[in-house]
Amino acid sequence: MFETVVPETAVKRSRKLFYILLPLSLVSHGFAIAAVMAMNVWDVTFPKTSPKMFALYSLVEPPPPPPPPPPPPAPKREILVKPVEKMPDVAPTVIPDLIPQVVELPPEPQPEVVSTDKGVEGGVEGGSEGGVIGGIVGGIISNLKPKPVPLPELVEIKRDEPLPMGSVSQDFPQYPEYARNRGWEDTLVVRYIIGKNGKVKEVTVIQPPAREEFARAALAAIRYWRFQPFRDPANGEVKEVVHELTVEFKISRRAPSR
């Protein structure tokens, strides 16, 4: 007749779900607390400017050209004197009444070899004209300097060798920010021509890098380089200069502190 009705809210629930979710809740809270502490402690700063690059230049004069070899001695010219032919002895066909007396003539002199070269007293037979007694064949007059040979219109400087003129404006390429943040490094070789006014008139990449960002940075900087005009030491004329340069992009890393 009478039944006991128990409200649904008073029924005892299972704690199995609570015990399953409790470790996950603790782990997530632990990660959140560790992330907040790491953000407050970890302070990473990056340099705002790219590292500076320096290049050393030295002016070295080219060695003088070797002297030309001495000319060969002129051959001697000999003049032969043709002797006078002697008439042959022929027996007479008519016997004269008076036999003449035969007088023997002295022998004619032999032809002599006449040389057209005039020698010098104390000289050496077969020597060259204009020499000095006691000198050395093929020697060089010490008080005379060889005349310098003019350079071509386009003077070529070897790769990575210092330029023979001073620089007016030579800012090195900026390190690409995108590549620096990722720790990328690379190397390339460029070839540029300096005009007679000291400005770079042409620049090309002859050995490209692995990433295009470094080539664009190098070309953008080298186009605006300025130098003093190069003058030929032989005649003082202004000449153009072509040069090949290796550009390296490297990040300087600090040694770990102990």
Side-chain angles (χ1 to χ4, degrees):
M1 292 290 297
F2 299 97
E3 295 180 359
T4 303
V5 180
V6 180
E8 187 179 355
T9 57
V11 179
K12 187 176 182 181
R13 296 181 179 180
S14 175
R15 293 181 175 270
K16 184 177 181 180
L17 182 62
F18 173 77
Y19 290 122
I20 292 174
L21 297 178
L22 179 61
L24 297 176
S25 176
L26 294 177
V27 171
S28 61
H29 283 77
F31 275 117
I33 295 172
V36 172
M37 294 179 64
M39 291 178 61
N40 294 330
V41 176
W42 188 21
D43 186 11
V44 180
T45 58
F46 296 94
K48 297 181 179 180
T49 59
S50 61
K52 294 184 177 180
M53 302 174 64
F54 298 92
L56 300 178
Y57 299 92
S58 63
L59 302 179
V60 180
E61 295 183 357
K76 292 184 178 181
R77 293 178 294 177
E78 299 181 355
I79 300 177
L80 298 177
V81 179
K82 186 177 181 181
V84 181
E85 296 182 358
K86 185 179 180 180
M87 295 298 294
D89 295 336
V90 180
T93 58
V94 178
I95 301 175
D97 295 336
L98 181 63
I99 300 175
Q101 295 181 357
V102 180
V103 180
E104 295 182 1
L105 298 177
E108 295 181 1
Q110 297 293 329
E112 296 180 358
V113 179
V114 180
S115 177
T116 58
D117 296 337
K118 296 181 180 180
V120 179
E121 184 178 0
V124 180
E125 183 178 358
S128 301
E129 186 178 355
V132 180
I133 299 175
I136 301 174
V137 178
I140 302 174
I141 303 176
S142 60
N143 56 354
L144 295 179
K145 295 181 179 180
K147 187 177 180 181
V149 180
L151 298 174
E153 288 298 324
L154 184 61
V155 181
E156 185 174 1
I157 308 299
K158 294 182 179 180
R159 180 178 296 183
D160 298 334
E161 289 291 329
L163 293 174
M165 66 278 198
S167 63
V168 178
S169 175
Q170 193 178 11
D171 296 329
F172 287 90
Q174 296 290 334
Y175 210 107
E177 188 70 19
Y178 183 81
R180 184 173 59 84
N181 293 336
R182 286 158 178 77
W184 292 348
E185 298 180 349
D186 217 326
T187 303
L188 68 151
V189 179
V190 296
R191 183 178 186 267
Y192 59 98
I193 299 176
I194 304 171
K196 295 182 179 181
N197 56 359
K199 298 181 180 180
V200 176
K201 59 184 293 186
E202 180 182 349
V203 56
T204 54
V205 178
I206 59 177
Q207 290 185 9
R211 295 178 173 86
E212 188 65 21
E213 294 87 354
F214 299 100
R216 289 197 297 266
L219 294 177
I222 296 176
R223 285 194 183 100
Y224 296 96
W225 284 2
R226 300 291 182 270
F227 301 88
Q228 297 177 358
F230 173 74
R231 295 186 178 275
D232 192 343
N235 50 21
E237 295 182 1
V238 179
K239 302 292 181 67
E240 294 183 353
V241 177
V242 58
H243 187 216
E244 294 182 2
L245 181 66
T246 303
V247 181
E248 296 183 355
F249 290 87
K250 290 186 177 181
I251 301 175
S252 59
R253 294 177 174 83
R254 298 179 180 178
S257 59
R258 296 180 179 179

